[in-house]
Amino acid sequence: MEKVMTTLEFLGLGVVALVVFLVMEGVAWAAHKYVMHGFGWGWHKSHHEETEGLFEKNDLYAVVFSVLAIALFVVGSDGHPVVFAVAVGITLYGVFYFVVHDGLVHQRWPFRHIPHKGYAKRLVQAHRLHHAVEGKEGCVSFGFLYAPPVEQLSSELRRRGTVAAERQAQKGEPSEPRAPVS
């Protein structure tokens, strides 16, 4: 006989899913900074370059995270409701990532709204500052749904001198030594 879940148990699983959703921003930040801008640059590099077509090599990361979520759904469906709730939280984060990052920020699908105020504008500006740096070193703002204040990010880029040095190099001018990337 199958056990019926109480309202309190159901709400508890909702809390688990919500907490996982929130924790995923930290997981995504760390994966973006240390994997995608580290040993996984081979896939992520396509995201920092002009691409043609609907997909880029970086989209393989979405496939990897989707397979992980699907595996958790399978395990969770076999009588492990907490694991199922974790899968729900990861999937919700993936949906928000798709809508906000791919849709709003990069406009990779027919979502042509450019925010002119509020948090959405800050998110778009912060991600543009992330892409202001060529290559994998010296970038700022590695989160996807959280964006530090734009002034803070701009100040950090100026302090590092990365963007200025890249512009000088493009013009063929000698550049001054850059501050180390922290």
Side-chain angles (χ1 to χ4, degrees):
M1 187 165 123
E2 199 170 312
K3 181 184 177 247
V4 177
M5 190 178 307
T6 68
T7 303
L8 191 57
E9 289 171 328
F10 185 77
L11 289 174
L13 292 174
V15 168
V16 169
L18 180 62
V19 167
V20 168
F21 172 84
L22 295 173
V23 166
M24 280 303 297
E25 178 67 4
V27 171
W29 179 91
H32 189 191
K33 182 168 178 134
Y34 298 111
V35 176
M36 295 175 189
H37 281 257
F39 65 87
W41 179 249
W43 285 2
H44 190 61
K45 181 180 180 184
S46 67
H47 184 65
H48 285 262
E49 299 173 335
E50 291 293 322
T51 56
E52 292 183 23
L54 188 59
F55 296 104
E56 54 191 39
K57 200 171 191 180
N58 182 67
D59 293 331
L60 290 170
Y61 284 113
V63 173
V64 169
F65 293 128
S66 296
V67 168
L68 172 64
I70 290 167
L72 291 173
F73 274 120
V74 169
V75 171
S77 296
D78 195 30
H80 303 282
V82 173
V83 174
F84 193 90
V86 169
V88 167
I90 292 171
T91 302
L92 283 175
Y93 186 85
V95 168
F96 272 77
Y97 170 88
F98 175 71
V99 170
V100 173
H101 180 263
D102 286 356
L104 180 66
V105 174
H106 288 288
Q107 300 192 358
R108 287 184 62 191
W109 44 279
F111 185 62
R112 300 292 179 220
H113 173 71
I114 298 173
H116 297 286
K117 61 183 179 178
Y119 187 74
K121 178 181 178 181
R122 177 170 138 181
L123 195 62
V124 170
Q125 288 177 324
H127 202 71
R128 285 186 179 153
L129 289 172
H130 173 77
H131 283 269
V133 175
E134 293 179 14
K136 68 180 187 174
E137 302 294 332
C139 293
V140 294
S141 189
F142 290 91
F144 294 111
L145 300 179
Y146 170 74
V150 173
E151 299 77 23
Q152 176 185 337
L153 298 172
S154 295
S155 175
E156 180 65 20
L157 284 173
R158 277 192 302 278
R159 185 187 68 76
R160 292 178 183 176
T162 309
V163 176
E166 289 171 353
R167 286 186 183 143
Q168 284 180 336
Q170 287 174 348
K171 293 177 183 177
E173 300 173 8
S175 63
E176 297 179 24
R178 294 191 276 182
V181 175
S182 51

